[in-house]
Amino acid sequence: MGLWGKDIARTKYVGNVYVDQISSIKKENKALFRIASKCENCNNNDYYSIYETFRLFRILSIPLVQCDTVYYFSCPECNFGFKLEDEEFKKLEKIALINSKYMEGSITKSELETGLKDI
Ligand SMILES: [Zn+2]
């Protein structure tokens, strides 16, 4: 029975975090100390892309459990990146989601700035 217990992998794009946002957060918060303000490999990026990957264990083609969730970020220029700790991901995810809302036009520039201050 090939359908039984088949598990599949998914990668979910969370959003972008800009390098100037990382450097301003690093000044006030130690949570992102491992993340270089600019890509430590090529030093040539304006932002990082944040991703979440996980496995969906499914039974009879019904996705049941999300497991082995891993968060990571990568440089759009050279694809350098590494796995994020939960704490780092939580911070970057908040920024990425606010950025996405702004890009979609659902919040204003001042709401973007206020949102970033609260992180
Ligand atoms: Zn790079």
Side-chain angles (χ1 to χ4, degrees):
M1 283 288 287
L3 288 173
W4 182 261
K6 191 174 188 180
D7 75 81
I8 49 177
R10 287 264 171 83
T11 296
K12 195 173 97 186
Y13 167 70
V14 177
N16 292 339
V17 176
Y18 294 89
V19 292
D20 55 344
Q21 296 174 324
I22 289 179
S23 50
S24 73
I25 283 178
K26 281 173 72 162
K27 276 180 208 147
E28 301 176 7
N29 197 304
K30 290 196 169 73
L32 300 180
F33 75 96
R34 295 196 315 147
I35 297 161
S37 299
K38 276 224 165 197
C39 173
E40 62 191 86
N41 186 50
C42 71
N43 202 36
N44 199 28
N45 60 324
D46 294 327
Y47 63 90
Y48 292 104
S49 300
I50 313 299
Y51 295 94
E52 176 180 352
T53 71
F54 51 87
R55 287 164 58 212
L56 277 177
F57 189 79
R58 37 179 217 181
I59 294 174
L60 298 175
S61 70
I62 304 159
L64 289 181
V65 194
Q66 178 175 336
C67 53
D68 295 343
T69 305
V70 176
Y71 308 113
Y72 64 96
F73 76 102
S74 72
C75 166
E77 301 295 333
C78 70
N79 292 321
F80 173 85
F82 55 78
K83 181 174 175 278
L84 297 165
E85 300 299 334
D86 286 359
E87 177 85 349
E88 294 166 338
F89 175 73
K90 277 182 204 145
K91 288 249 181 299
L92 293 174
E93 181 190 32
K94 279 188 200 159
I95 305 169
L97 294 177
I98 293 172
N99 286 341
S100 304
K101 278 190 195 160
Y102 178 65
M103 299 298 257
E104 289 162 8
S106 63
I107 59 168
T108 64
K109 177 113 189 167
S110 70
E111 285 173 310
L112 169 80
E113 282 159 4
T114 314
L116 292 172
K117 277 196 193 109
D118 292 340
I119 286 167

